[in-house]
Protein backbone atom coordinates (compact mmCIF):
# COMPACT_ATOMS: atom_id res chain seq x y z
CA UNK A 1 0.00 0.00 0.00
CA UNK A 2 1.50 3.25 -1.09
CA UNK A 3 0.57 6.54 -2.57
CA UNK A 4 2.14 7.03 -5.98
CA UNK A 5 3.13 10.23 -7.66
CA UNK A 6 0.39 11.50 -10.00
CA UNK A 7 1.67 12.57 -13.41
CA UNK A 8 0.47 15.96 -14.53
CA UNK A 9 -0.62 17.38 -17.88
CA UNK A 10 2.38 17.87 -20.14
CA UNK A 11 3.88 14.52 -19.13
CA UNK A 12 4.04 12.49 -22.37
CA UNK A 13 2.99 9.29 -20.57
CA UNK A 14 -0.55 10.73 -20.47
CA UNK A 15 -0.80 10.72 -24.27
CA UNK A 16 0.14 7.08 -24.85
CA UNK A 17 -2.13 4.14 -25.66
CA UNK A 18 -2.04 1.56 -22.84
CA UNK A 19 -1.51 -2.17 -23.26
CA UNK A 20 -4.04 -4.86 -22.42
CA UNK A 21 -3.48 -6.80 -19.22
CA UNK A 22 -3.14 -10.54 -19.86
CA UNK A 23 -2.50 -11.72 -16.30
CA UNK A 24 -2.97 -10.20 -12.85
CA UNK A 25 0.46 -10.67 -11.32
CA UNK A 26 1.35 -9.71 -7.72
CA UNK A 27 2.84 -6.51 -9.13
CA UNK A 28 -0.44 -5.64 -10.80
CA UNK A 29 -2.35 -6.33 -7.58
CA UNK A 30 0.02 -3.98 -5.80
CA UNK A 31 -0.45 -1.38 -8.54
CA UNK A 32 -4.24 -1.57 -8.13
CA UNK A 33 -3.99 -1.20 -4.32
CA UNK A 34 -1.69 1.77 -4.78
CA UNK A 35 -4.03 3.33 -7.36
CA UNK A 36 -6.91 3.10 -4.88
CA UNK A 37 -4.79 4.64 -2.10
CA UNK A 38 -3.61 7.38 -4.45
CA UNK A 39 -7.14 8.16 -5.69
CA UNK A 40 -8.60 8.35 -2.16
CA UNK A 41 -5.68 10.40 -0.83
CA UNK A 42 -6.25 12.93 -3.62
CA UNK A 43 -10.05 12.95 -3.06
CA UNK A 44 -10.59 11.82 -6.63
CA UNK A 45 -13.42 9.76 -8.09
CA UNK A 46 -11.23 7.95 -10.60
CA UNK A 47 -7.66 7.20 -11.57
CA UNK A 48 -6.15 5.46 -14.57
CA UNK A 49 -2.82 3.58 -14.59
CA UNK A 50 -1.03 6.02 -16.95
CA UNK A 51 -1.65 8.73 -14.35
CA UNK A 52 0.84 6.90 -12.15
CA UNK A 53 3.14 6.25 -15.11
CA UNK A 54 2.05 2.68 -15.95
CA UNK A 55 0.86 2.04 -19.51
CA UNK A 56 -1.63 -0.72 -18.73
CA UNK A 57 -5.39 -0.79 -19.29
CA UNK A 58 -6.42 -0.46 -15.64
CA UNK A 59 -8.65 2.14 -14.00
CA UNK A 60 -10.24 2.55 -10.59
CA UNK A 61 -13.41 4.55 -10.02
CA UNK A 62 -15.36 5.36 -6.88
CA UNK A 63 -18.04 8.02 -7.14
CA UNK A 64 -19.78 7.14 -3.87
CA UNK A 65 -16.85 6.48 -1.51
CA UNK A 66 -18.34 3.10 -0.73
CA UNK A 67 -17.27 0.51 -3.21
CA UNK A 68 -14.67 1.04 -5.92
CA UNK A 69 -14.89 -0.31 -9.42
CA UNK A 70 -11.64 -1.97 -10.43
CA UNK A 71 -11.60 -2.12 -14.21
CA UNK A 72 -9.09 -4.17 -16.16
CA UNK A 73 -9.24 -3.94 -19.97
CA UNK A 74 -12.56 -2.04 -19.78
CA UNK A 75 -14.64 -1.37 -22.88
CA UNK A 76 -17.80 0.64 -23.45
CA UNK A 77 -20.21 -1.56 -25.38
CA UNK A 78 -23.27 0.68 -25.36
CA UNK A 79 -23.95 4.34 -24.70
CA UNK A 80 -26.90 6.67 -24.89
CA UNK A 81 -28.13 10.11 -23.95
CA UNK A 82 -26.11 13.15 -23.14
CA UNK A 83 -25.04 15.09 -20.05
CA UNK A 84 -23.18 18.38 -19.95
CA UNK A 85 -21.34 19.28 -16.79
CA UNK A 86 -18.16 20.15 -15.00
CA UNK A 87 -15.24 17.76 -15.18
CA UNK A 88 -11.75 17.77 -13.71
CA UNK A 89 -8.74 15.47 -13.56
CA UNK A 90 -6.24 14.59 -10.83
CA UNK A 91 -3.53 15.19 -13.42
CA UNK A 92 -4.67 18.78 -13.83
CA UNK A 93 -5.23 19.89 -10.24
CA UNK A 94 -7.31 22.94 -9.44
CA UNK A 95 -8.88 23.10 -12.91
CA UNK A 96 -12.17 22.05 -14.45
CA UNK A 97 -14.06 22.44 -17.69
CA UNK A 98 -17.47 21.78 -19.20
CA UNK A 99 -17.65 18.49 -21.06
CA UNK A 100 -20.55 16.66 -22.72
CA UNK A 101 -20.59 12.89 -22.17
CA UNK A 102 -23.15 10.12 -22.60
CA UNK A 103 -25.71 9.97 -19.78
CA UNK A 104 -25.60 6.17 -19.82
CA UNK A 105 -22.92 3.64 -20.65
CA UNK A 106 -22.75 -0.12 -20.49
CA UNK A 107 -19.27 -1.57 -19.97
CA UNK A 108 -17.42 -4.80 -19.81
CA UNK A 109 -14.20 -5.24 -17.88
CA UNK A 110 -12.21 -7.89 -16.05
CA UNK A 111 -11.85 -8.02 -12.28
CA UNK A 112 -8.69 -8.91 -10.32
CA UNK A 113 -9.45 -12.61 -10.84
CA UNK A 114 -9.57 -11.91 -14.60
CA UNK A 115 -13.30 -12.70 -14.61
CA UNK A 116 -15.22 -10.65 -17.12
CA UNK A 117 -18.17 -8.64 -15.84
CA UNK A 118 -20.63 -6.14 -17.26
CA UNK A 119 -22.06 -3.10 -15.54
CA UNK A 120 -24.23 -0.13 -16.33
CA UNK A 121 -23.51 3.45 -15.31
CA UNK A 122 -25.47 6.67 -15.35
CA UNK A 123 -24.76 10.28 -14.48
CA UNK A 124 -21.49 10.92 -12.63
CA UNK A 125 -20.42 7.27 -12.82
CA UNK A 126 -20.94 7.25 -16.60
CA UNK A 127 -18.93 10.45 -16.84
CA UNK A 128 -16.12 8.93 -14.75
CA UNK A 129 -16.08 5.77 -16.88
CA UNK A 130 -15.76 7.81 -20.10
CA UNK A 131 -13.05 10.01 -18.56
CA UNK A 132 -10.94 7.12 -17.21
CA UNK A 133 -11.29 5.00 -20.35
CA UNK A 134 -10.12 8.03 -22.31
CA UNK A 135 -6.90 8.04 -20.28
CA UNK A 136 -6.21 4.44 -21.40
CA UNK A 137 -6.08 5.66 -25.00
CA UNK A 138 -4.11 8.79 -24.21
CA UNK A 139 -7.11 11.14 -24.29
CA UNK A 140 -7.55 13.94 -21.77
CA UNK A 141 -10.83 15.72 -21.00
CA UNK A 142 -9.39 19.02 -22.16
CA UNK A 143 -9.75 17.74 -25.76
CA UNK A 144 -13.52 17.89 -25.31
CA UNK A 145 -13.93 21.03 -23.21
CA UNK A 146 -16.56 23.50 -24.32
CA UNK A 147 -15.24 27.00 -23.66
CA UNK A 148 -12.28 27.51 -21.35
CA UNK A 149 -10.77 25.45 -18.59
CA UNK A 150 -11.30 27.37 -15.34
CA UNK A 151 -9.87 27.48 -11.83
CA UNK A 152 -11.77 25.60 -9.17
CA UNK A 153 -11.76 26.73 -5.58
CA UNK A 154 -12.14 23.85 -3.19
CA UNK A 155 -13.90 24.41 0.10
CA UNK A 156 -11.61 24.15 3.12
CA UNK A 157 -11.69 20.66 4.52
CA UNK A 158 -13.25 20.36 7.92
CA UNK A 159 -12.24 17.76 10.42
NI1 LIG B 1 -8.26 12.21 -15.40
Amino acid sequence: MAIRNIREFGDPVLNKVCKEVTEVTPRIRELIEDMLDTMYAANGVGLAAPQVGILKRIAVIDTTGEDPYILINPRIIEESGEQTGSEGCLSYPGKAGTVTRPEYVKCTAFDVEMKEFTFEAEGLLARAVCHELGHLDGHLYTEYVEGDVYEVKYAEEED
Side-chain angles (χ1 to χ4, degrees):
M1 304 250 291
I3 292 168
R4 300 203 185 189
N5 187 35
I6 298 179
R7 305 298 184 91
E8 296 197 354
F9 278 31
D11 189 320
V13 79
L14 294 175
N15 299 113
K16 302 261 199 301
V17 175
C18 296
K19 291 208 169 72
E20 296 253 321
V21 174
T22 53
E23 187 193 355
V24 177
T25 60
R27 279 186 69 157
I28 287 182
R29 279 180 188 265
E30 191 184 338
L31 168 68
I32 292 168
E33 288 301 318
D34 289 354
M35 285 173 63
L36 289 167
D37 290 346
T38 305
M39 173 181 75
Y40 288 127
N43 293 314
V45 298
L47 187 73
Q51 292 182 276
V52 294
I54 307 289
L55 291 172
K56 291 191 185 299
R57 304 189 78 82
I58 302 172
V60 295
I61 296 175
D62 191 347
T63 55
T64 62
E66 283 168 7
D67 197 14
Y69 282 90
I70 293 163
L71 307 176
I72 298 173
N73 303 338
R75 281 188 307 124
I76 292 172
I77 54 173
E78 214 179 296
E79 60 177 65
S80 64
E82 212 175 79
Q83 56 172 319
T84 299
S86 172
E87 191 164 320
C89 181
L90 291 178
S91 293
Y92 202 13
K95 309 277 188 196
T98 302
V99 181
T100 298
R101 301 283 193 182
E103 172 59 26
Y104 163 91
V105 294
K106 187 174 186 180
C107 292
T108 64
F110 292 84
D111 66 14
V112 289
E113 312 299 335
M114 284 308 269
K115 276 211 196 94
E116 193 169 19
F117 65 101
T118 301
F119 67 100
E120 295 175 299
E122 289 177 3
L124 177 61
L125 182 58
R127 175 178 295 281
V129 166
C130 294
H131 178 112
E132 299 313 327
L133 267 63
H135 276 296
L136 303 182
D137 288 313
H139 294 300
L140 303 172
Y141 80 92
T142 45
E143 293 170 39
Y144 316 113
V145 163
E146 296 153 32
D148 293 323
V149 170
Y150 48 85
E151 302 268 345
V152 212
K153 298 254 186 295
Y154 292 103
E156 298 270 324
E157 288 209 22
E158 290 172 39
D159 52 10

